[in-house]
Amino acid sequence: MNTIFAVLLVFVGCCSNVVFLELLVRKFPGCGNIVTFAQFAFIALEGFIFETNFGRKKPAIPMSNYVIMVTMFFTVSVINNYALNFNIAMPLHMIFRSGSLIANMILGIIILKKRYSMSKYLSIAMVSLGIFICTIMSARQVNTGSEGSEEQDVYAFLHWLLGIAMLTFALLMSARMGIFQETLYKQYGKHSKEALFYNHCLPLPGFLLLSSDIYNHCVLFSQSTPVEVPVIGQAVPVMWLYLLINVITQYVCIRGVFILTTECASLTVTLVVTLRKFISLIISILYFKNPFTAWHWVGTAVVFLGTLIYTEVWTSVRMALRGKEELKEKKK
């Protein structure tokens, strides 16, 4: 029952989060910093109350390790959201982030000297190819979508290319953080809820560096069209409403993933998150009518097929079916 509830939280929370993030980004493309800050502040406040018992509970993992982890987590979160300022379409943003599993594997080979089966290496090639196809097709849209002079076209393309570089850096940094977390959990045990709190609480002072941008967007949000909220019977600027829903759905999504990690095997968690990303992508394309060519669909299919090969879903399904057949034969 807990597993079904967690899966529902992941799908409802994460898919709704993508919708409201895109509503925010479409109106104010540079709002990534205020969105990141709001999400961090909300999750940190919840963790301070319910996880640390208002600061009375001591961390199980040394604070020095959390500082390293938090630096990486803060960098990844800010860069991922800030990349949306560089003409990166939401579908491409989601496809790029789907390569996190493979980036983790590549760094595992380089740093931890791990070795994998041929199916794993095949999945690396497929995900890399899928992301490459989508990126190239998006690059062509940037070149053909601009109606300005040749100089403006070149500037738009270089601006977009910088966004791609940022996403690539964030992808590799995220994978490096995953390896660091893996080594910490082996040494100190799994404390995922504690890590969730410190990952969101410790970076909050870092947002002072972005305070002017956050303040400017607070002003812009306050100037947006007011809408009446039925529950409180008051008119609220629509962008603040979108931000509130985005923050709540982000929390619901993270809580769902946390419950899944305690209830299911990591393979199941990976599969659920992968399917959630695919559904979020479909919603983004259909609901917001984002440009998506046949080649984008090919690239997307290759990315998700590669991810499924990596998680060995087919092998698990085959083993489960074989187990059922053996059970039936024993009953006979």
Side-chain angles (χ1 to χ4, degrees), residues 133-146 157 160 293 295-296:
I133 290 169
C134 290
T135 307
I136 290 297
M137 295 314 297
S138 296
R140 288 182 64 186
Q141 285 176 351
V142 170
N143 284 335
T144 58
S146 177
F157 178 71
W160 174 85
T293 64
W295 279 107
H296 281 98

Side-chain angles (χ1 to χ4, degrees), residues 184-196:
L184 279 185
Y185 290 158
K186 277 181 184 176
Q187 189 175 353
Y188 298 102
K190 284 191 176 182
H191 303 278
S192 51
K193 203 172 178 197
E194 178 186 287
L196 183 69

Side-chain angles (χ1 to χ4, degrees), residues 102-156:
I102 309 304
N104 190 280
M105 180 181 170
I106 292 168
L107 289 187
I109 294 167
I110 296 168
I111 297 168
L112 301 178
K113 310 297 180 188
K114 287 184 176 181
R115 290 294 173 264
Y116 298 94
S117 63
M118 277 306 296
S119 65
K120 295 279 199 273
Y121 291 116
L122 174 64
S123 71
I124 284 183
M126 290 182 73
V127 172
S128 302
L129 177 63
I131 291 173
F132 178 76
I133 290 169
C134 290
T135 307
I136 290 297
M137 295 314 297
S138 296
R140 288 182 64 186
Q141 285 176 351
V142 170
N143 284 335
T144 58
S146 177
E147 295 177 0
S149 64
E150 189 177 335
E151 192 176 321
Q152 286 174 322
D153 288 350
V154 171
Y155 174 78

Side-chain angles (χ1 to χ4, degrees), residues 54 62-63 76 115 151 164 247 249:
F54 295 95
M63 196 61 70
V76 168
R115 290 294 173 264
E151 192 176 321
I164 293 296
V247 167
T249 52

